[in-house]
């Protein structure tokens, strides 16, 4: 089943990552002295769709699976 494209803010993506990594309550402080970058990025999948690629997994599920994989494969000194 193809997934609907949607824009995810960088803050929302960070929130997903923190939650899935077990740090849901972490306090993220943005430095107002840093240049303000994009608040969100959107991938244009038009070329991929023309080649027959249809996304099968959501960003949230992909981040969750990536974090789980990393946790299983990190080096002993990283634990």
């Amino acid at each position: 089943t193809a997934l609907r494209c949607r824009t995810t803010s960088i803050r929302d993506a960070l929130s997903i990552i923190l939650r899935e990594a077990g740090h849901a309550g972490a306090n993220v402080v943005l430095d107002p002295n840093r240049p303000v970058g994009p608040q969100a990025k959107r991938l244009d999948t038009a070329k991929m769709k023309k080649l027959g690629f249809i996304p099968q997994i959501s960003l949230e599920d992909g981040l969750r699976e990536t974090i789980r994989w990393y946790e299983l494969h990190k080096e002993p000194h990283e634990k």
Side-chain angles (χ1 to χ4, degrees):
T1 306
L3 297 172
R4 182 180 67 82
C5 288
R6 66 184 177 103
T7 301
T8 301
S9 71
I10 294 170
R11 183 180 293 275
D12 287 346
L14 177 60
S15 178
I16 294 167
I17 292 166
L18 290 171
R19 184 183 69 236
E20 294 302 326
H23 301 287
N27 183 28
V28 176
V29 178
L30 301 178
D31 184 349
N33 296 318
R34 298 284 180 188
V36 176
Q39 298 298 308
K41 292 190 176 194
R42 185 172 185 151
L43 177 64
D44 180 359
T45 59
K47 286 184 180 180
M48 294 188 313
K49 287 178 182 176
K50 285 181 183 176
L51 295 172
F53 175 80
I54 301 170
Q56 300 293 315
I57 188 166
S58 68
L59 174 65
E60 188 166 345
D61 289 342
L63 289 171
R64 181 181 304 115
E65 288 183 22
T66 300
I67 291 166
R68 296 296 172 260
W69 181 93
Y70 176 78
E71 290 295 324
L72 291 171
H73 294 90
K74 62 184 172 183
E75 297 293 323
H77 68 276
E78 297 176 311
K79 294 183 179 181

